Amino acid sequence: MGGWPKLEWDGERTGPLQGVKVLDMSSVVLGPFATVQLADLGAEVIKIENAKGGGDIMRKAGDNPTGDLGPIYASLNRNKKSIALDAANPEDKAVILELAKEADVFFHNVRMAGMERLGLGYEDVKAANPDIVYVHCAGYGAEGPYAKRQAYDDLIQAASGFAALFEMRDKGRPQYAPSLVADKVSGMFAANAVLAALLGRANGLGGQFVQVPMFECFTWFHMVENLWGNTYPPGNGKYAYTRSINPRRRPYPTKDGYIAIVPYADGQWEKFFELAGRPGVFQDPRFSTYKARLENTTELYATIEESTATKTTDEWVELLDANNIPAMKYNRMADVFDDPHLKAVDFFEEREAKAGYTYRSMRHPVHYSSTPASIFADPPSLDADRGEILGGSD
């Protein structure tokens, strides 16, 4: 092959990143979460998978109709092409560097020392393409003592102080969030970093090496509110935003289910207590100002909980909506598919794959008035696009 192949897609790519070429050597969740966003927005993404290891490990995670398209893999790798290569093989490494010559972005979440041993470090790829935006999703920043340590979602939740929030809230053991939040948050940082570096290059700043350290990204993310009383030295020793750490911050029980209610302005709080049949509560000095409510959050939430049990969820939603008080019905996981708003915006859709199976896909959530994101290709089977990638050139 010679240069970037002319790739054929199942449907039309309409997003604002049309023309951007991404060579993606990432796997599992963090990296693919970043690059699927680029793909949804129209970038051409070639996913290079490890030929020796059977491809991205997430292919095997969870039941699926083909044996190599696990549910998480399918969600994070649509709109991409797949080729399986062994970067330790000189011929395959030559293919990678040939593709890099015309790529805009070289993206991976392999430890840097390993990529350098393979001859695919930044300087190696830069030698093939001086304008490349080389993005390395690291576990930890290269300047610190953890630089060579492995990083996974659980490890980062624990080390960043995030798991401690559960211990502080529940007065029990620390816990991990039941979602791969560290991976996905870091993936958002990585996607943003790609776009920023591409904009810088377009403004004449050239290509560059971009490191996205998972530990630092996730710690920054959750410490925005949880640094709290230690924002100004020497600090008062209090960590975690008062409202979010409260054990009563949870959906409130109704006669037939649960509801989320967040009065915010003083007038909304006063009106809520009137609707709840407790008009004098707002005059209580503990609840009459924003500062007082923060300091007495436990008592405030307990008062709401006592009030909500008097009506059904639908009755509360109708009443609160009519009075401009923020509220939402509580959905269990299965209920989300039937949520009227998500149905109206076609958030979930069932797609018929070329391989003959049906799968659910989620619409890209961001709207662009003239260059909308789109789903234009099904998640690829391992090595499905080898012939097209190796055979395409001019």
Side-chain angles (χ1 to χ4, degrees), residues 30-31 34 107-110 135-139 186 190 210-214:
L30 191 164
F107 190 104
H108 72 87
N109 60 351
V110 181
V135 181
H136 171 220
C137 294
S186 302
V210 179
Q211 185 189 72
V212 184
M214 188 180 181

Side-chain angles (χ1 to χ4, degrees), residues 76-93:
L76 295 182
N77 291 282
R78 66 191 186 197
N79 293 341
K80 302 176 186 179
K81 300 285 188 179
S82 170
I83 184 171
L85 297 170
D86 176 8
N89 179 298
E91 292 182 2
D92 284 359
K93 185 179 84 169

Side-chain angles (χ1 to χ4, degrees), residues 26-46:
S26 70
S27 61
V28 193
V29 173
L30 191 164
F33 188 84
T35 55
V36 76
Q37 296 173 70
L38 307 177
D40 283 0
L41 296 177
E44 295 188 14
V45 179
I46 292 179

Side-chain angles (χ1 to χ4, degrees), residues 281-303:
V281 172
F282 182 72
Q283 278 66 48
D284 187 319
R286 295 175 301 167
F287 307 137
S288 57
T289 67
Y290 177 73
K291 185 174 186 295
R293 289 192 293 272
L294 271 182
E295 292 171 351
N296 296 280
T297 302
T298 298
E299 295 85 352
L300 178 66
Y301 287 173
T303 304

Side-chain angles (χ1 to χ4, degrees), residues 2 37 109 180 211 222 240 268 274 303 382:
Q37 296 173 70
N109 60 351
L180 302 177
Q211 185 189 72
H222 92 80
Q268 291 175 334
E274 287 179 12
T303 304
L382 180 63

Side-chain angles (χ1 to χ4, degrees), residues 45 57 64 68 78 90 136 170-171 187 192 207 251 288 331 336:
V45 179
I57 194 173
N64 64 92
D68 76 338
R78 66 191 186 197
H136 171 220
D170 303 328
K171 304 298 186 285
N192 186 60
S288 57
N331 282 331
V336 176

Side-chain angles (χ1 to χ4, degrees), residues 336-348 363 367:
V336 176
F337 288 115
D338 294 318
D339 183 275
H341 179 88
L342 295 178
K343 278 188 168 183
V345 299
D346 297 322
F347 183 74
F348 292 104
R363 175 179 177 176
H367 295 256

